[in-house]
Amino acid sequence: MSGSNPVLDDLIGLLKLERLEVNLFRGQSRDIGSKQVYGGQVLGQALSAAAYTVEERTIHSLHAYFLRRGDMHAPIIYEVDRQRDGRSFSNRRVVAIQHGRPILNLAASFQVAEEGLIHAQRAPEVPRPEELPEPADSIAGIDKLPAKMRRFLLEFRPFDFRWVEPPQYENPQPAEPRRHLWFRTAGKLPDDPDLHRSLMAYASDYGLLTTALLPHAMSLLSENLQLASLDHAIWFHRPFRMDEWLLYCYDSPTAVNARGLSRGQLFDHGGTLVASVTQEGLMRVWPEGSS
């Protein structure tokens, strides 16, 4: 546990699932102000479930599909299928289940550590987190968000955020689909690499889909807008700590057919690329006056 932030301690506990059987786990949910279970929570818990069934190998990628909205008032069951344990790689399939139906499918691949060719893109030049204001002082229209979401972002939060280009929830203007966010946990964490990776999966869903809204002058407060994550993928490249500043670089190369594609790169404080993320989401705009 962090020992200093009860909200962060609660999140750590949320990612540590109850084992029901050898390959069966149960997790709970928290209401952070969205209409359904936060997608990053299900990702983080599903990754935790997969990691519980693998020894001496490290996750290098996961690919997930969101199938249904999660009910935050009911537990989530995670069923792990140990699909393969080879000499170098292990593959797991995880199904998250609520009310007898799957809400998420996740495939994860783990690898034995080995030497190989190395290169990496460096982080872009942006202001350092110490130079940037708190969200309360930088985000336009944050007071219009649902009360629980405001509390998650401003008060009872497990993460510290510093936006380079703050979201504009109220009266957004068209902008390039590109932005940058510094974040870290709001407290020190134990030296548990699996926990740090599950926390990254949790945080990787934050702000990703809405990057595709920037050219269209829309935000979470826009009327007649339906947003939903459809799939999510993460590649873990190098070790990192979630209690040290990470730079999340977002961009959205395209939106078409009511779907938007967003990408993310995560760099440590020294500028080294530690993870890559992609997500496609539903971005459906209803005609004016429709219910």
Side-chain angles (χ1 to χ4, degrees):
M1 296 297 182
S2 72
S4 59
N5 185 330
V7 179
L8 177 57
D9 288 343
D10 181 71
L11 175 55
I12 293 171
L14 197 68
L15 295 174
K16 293 184 176 179
L17 307 177
E18 175 189 2
R19 194 167 210 143
L20 302 177
E21 244 291 350
V22 175
N23 298 316
L24 204 63
F25 305 87
R26 177 164 56 201
Q28 305 299 324
S29 297
R30 294 293 182 271
D31 182 357
I32 66 168
S34 56
K35 296 179 181 179
Q36 63 277 330
V37 175
Y38 168 57
Q41 177 205 299
V42 189
L43 281 172
Q45 289 179 330
L47 176 53
S48 293
Y52 287 155
T53 69
V54 179
E55 295 181 0
E56 299 180 354
R57 299 179 182 204
T58 301
I59 180 77
H60 71 88
S61 69
L62 66 82
H63 301 259
Y65 281 92
F66 296 97
L67 306 177
R68 294 178 176 86
R69 287 187 173 189
D71 177 1
M72 66 186 69
H73 303 294
I76 305 174
I77 302 300
Y78 294 90
E79 183 177 15
V80 181
D81 179 4
R82 304 185 187 218
Q83 295 196 309
R84 180 176 183 269
D85 286 305
R87 294 171 63 181
S88 300
F89 291 87
S90 291
N91 295 89
R92 297 293 185 264
R93 179 174 177 267
V94 183
V95 181
I97 303 167
Q98 273 191 322
H99 306 301
R101 300 195 300 174
I103 64 171
L104 173 133
N105 287 338
L106 178 141
S109 182
F110 298 75
Q111 183 185 13
V112 175
E114 59 181 285
E115 297 296 324
L117 302 175
I118 297 175
H119 75 274
Q121 182 177 339
R122 298 294 294 177
E125 292 293 330
V126 298
R128 308 300 285 177
E130 300 84 1
E131 304 168 6
L132 298 169
E134 291 264 2
D137 301 321
S138 63
I139 299 178
I142 198 168
D143 57 317
K144 302 295 194 300
L145 292 174
K148 288 182 179 178
M149 188 176 292
R150 286 201 311 273
R151 288 198 296 271
F152 175 78
L153 294 175
L154 301 180
E155 301 173 49
F156 306 110
R157 60 186 185 185
F159 296 96
D160 287 332
F161 296 112
R162 298 291 187 277
W163 284 100
V164 177
E165 305 91 2
Q168 304 297 308
Y169 293 120
E170 192 173 35
N171 300 319
Q173 301 300 310
E176 287 293 315
R178 191 180 306 275
R179 56 186 178 181
H180 307 82
L181 169 70
W182 289 99
F183 73 95
R184 66 181 176 184
T185 56
K188 292 296 291 182
L189 296 172
D191 297 328
D192 179 353
D194 285 337
L195 172 63
H196 287 256
R197 287 185 282 264
S198 290
L199 281 165
M200 177 174 280
Y202 179 97
S204 68
D205 194 34
Y206 180 71
L208 191 57
L209 177 56
T210 54
T211 303
L213 295 176
L214 293 175
H216 310 285
M218 304 187 81
S219 77
L220 293 175
L221 297 179
S222 299
E223 297 181 359
N224 303 325
L225 174 65
Q226 180 185 1
L227 289 180
S229 300
L230 297 174
D231 61 12
H232 196 102
I234 308 175
W235 292 264
F236 298 93
H237 308 308
R238 294 172 178 82
F240 59 89
R241 292 193 63 91
M242 287 293 291
D243 51 7
E244 297 176 355
W245 286 114
L246 296 168
L247 177 63
Y248 202 172
C249 302
Y250 306 87
D251 80 287
S252 175
T254 187
V256 66
N257 205 31
R259 302 190 316 274
L261 179 67
S262 296
R263 303 179 296 195
Q265 291 180 304
L266 289 131
F267 298 87
D268 66 17
H269 198 252
T272 300
L273 181 66
V274 298
S276 299
V277 183
T278 61
Q279 183 182 90
E280 190 172 51
L282 179 68
M283 297 176 13
R284 182 175 286 147
V285 180
W286 300 106
E288 290 292 333
S290 63
S291 57

